Amino acid sequence: MKAANAHTNQGYWTEQDSEDFIDYGDYFIPYRQEQRRVLLQLLSPLPPHSTVVDLCGGNGQLGKIILDQYPQFQLKLYELSDKMLQHARQDLGKYGKRFEGHKFDLADHSWRQGMEKVDAFISSLAIHHLSAFQKKELFVDLFKLLKPGGGLLIADVVLPAASAAFSIYAQEWDAWARQQADELNDDKVYQKFSDEKWNFFQYPEDDPLDKPSTIYEQLSWLGQAGFEQVDVFWMKSGIAVFGGYKL
C-alpha cells in the first residue's frame, strides 16, 4: 500500500505521491468517510476547549472536519511532507490560532520532548509504517503526553492474524476501488489504484514502508502503556479504528 502520509524520511515517498494522495485518497481508501465519522464521534466526550494533535495529518482534511464540528477545539497538525503541510496551512489558516501546522518525523523522538500535555492524539493511516518496537514506544510516549481523560484514537491498516483474511480483505478493498471508479465513470482511477499497488492485502510485501501489526498486538501494547477502555470501535476491509483512554 502506498504510504498515506510522508511520515518518515526512511523509504521512497515523494511529493508527487503526496499530490496523488490528495487527489485520489478518498477513492483508494475503503470507507474513509466512515473512519472519519467514527473518529469524530470518539472526540465528543472531550472538554469544550480541548487540544487535539493530528499525527501525520496530511493536507488537513480530517483536521478541518474536527475544527468545524468542535468550534472551541484547537488542532495541532504534524506532517513531514512539505506539499501536504502547505495544503493544510492554506486550507486551515482561516481558523486562526485554533490551528497550528508543524513539520515532523513520526519515528523521531524529538517532537515528543517538551510537548505540553494535550487532550487527544489522532492518527489516520500512518502508524502502520512503524515497526512493532516503534509502535510500542510511541504508545508509551503518547500516554505520558495526554491529560487525564484524554485519548489516543487511531485509524489504520492492521495485519490479519489468520492468513485466510488476506484474500478476504484484498477482495473487499479491490471491490471498493472498482465501485469508486464506476461511480466516477473513470476507468483511469481504478487503473491507477491497481498500477500503484494500493491494495496492501494483495501486495503485502511490495512496500517496505508497510509494517502493520495485528489488532490484538496493538490493543495489548496500548494496555501495557497504561491506556484503559482499550477497544476496536470500527473495522472493515482490514482497516480498524481503535485506541484507548487515560483515565
Side-chain angles (χ1 to χ4, degrees):
M1 172 187 167
K2 278 284 187 177
N5 308 81
H7 70 97
T8 174
N9 285 315
Q10 301 173 356
Y12 49 81
W13 181 268
T14 69
E15 293 295 16
Q16 181 57 53
D17 292 326
S18 293
E19 194 67 46
D20 288 343
F21 191 80
I22 291 170
D23 293 338
Y24 296 101
D26 285 347
Y27 308 116
F28 291 173
I29 305 301
Y31 306 101
R32 199 179 185 201
Q33 299 305 324
E34 284 193 31
Q35 296 167 40
R36 290 170 175 167
R37 175 182 55 78
V38 173
L39 288 171
L40 202 66
Q41 291 178 332
L42 292 170
L43 294 174
S44 63
L46 296 180
H49 295 277
S50 292
T51 298
V52 177
V53 176
D54 189 353
L55 300 175
C56 303
N59 62 329
Q61 290 183 356
L62 177 58
K64 183 181 185 303
I65 297 171
I66 292 171
L67 290 171
D68 286 340
Q69 179 71 25
Y70 300 103
Q72 293 178 303
F73 277 18
Q74 181 185 27
L75 179 81
K76 297 184 179 181
L77 183 149
Y78 285 72
E79 175 60 48
L80 180 62
S81 164
D82 291 325
K83 186 176 289 292
M84 291 280 199
L85 196 54
Q86 180 183 7
H87 276 270
R89 285 171 171 163
Q90 287 175 348
D91 292 344
L92 305 185
K94 63 183 179 182
Y95 295 95
K97 294 182 179 179
R98 295 180 58 212
F99 167 74
E100 295 178 9
H102 300 274
K103 187 179 175 68
F104 91 136
D105 182 337
L106 179 62
D108 190 16
H109 291 81
S110 59
W111 61 271
R112 310 174 200 178
Q113 300 169 3
M115 178 186 284
E116 295 183 0
K117 290 192 175 182
V118 301
D119 298 279
F121 287 98
I122 60 173
S123 185
S124 178
L125 299 171
I127 291 176
H128 74 278
H129 298 305
L130 299 178
S131 68
F133 176 79
Q134 289 173 318
K135 292 186 187 83
K136 289 188 283 188
E137 197 173 48
L138 177 68
F139 294 165
V140 169
D141 290 346
L142 296 185
F143 182 82
K144 294 176 182 177
L145 291 171
L146 280 172
K147 296 177 182 178
L152 168 59
L153 306 170
I154 301 166
D156 210 352
V157 177
V158 294
L159 186 70
S163 57
F166 274 93
S167 61
I168 296 172
Y169 295 159
Q171 291 170 19
E172 291 178 350
W173 201 328
D174 188 78
W176 167 269
R178 287 182 183 275
Q179 179 182 343
Q180 303 314 299
D182 289 344
E183 291 179 359
L184 289 170
N185 195 26
D186 187 350
D187 293 338
K188 293 180 180 179
V189 171
Y190 178 78
Q191 192 62 49
K192 188 173 185 65
F193 168 84
S194 181
D195 289 346
E196 296 192 4
K197 300 182 178 179
W198 276 80
N199 191 335
F200 165 76
F201 301 104
Q202 188 171 355
Y203 306 103
E205 306 297 333
D206 185 69
D207 191 340
L209 286 177
D210 287 333
K211 305 168 188 174
S213 302
T214 67
I215 193 65
Y216 174 80
E217 289 174 322
Q218 294 182 85
L219 295 181
S220 298
W221 298 335
L222 287 168
Q224 293 167 13
F227 287 95
E228 299 183 56
Q229 297 183 358
V230 173
D231 209 344
V232 178
F233 306 106
W234 176 96
M235 184 171 176
K236 286 184 180 180
S237 305
I239 299 179
V241 176
F242 62 99
Y245 295 88
K246 183 177 184 178
L247 302 182

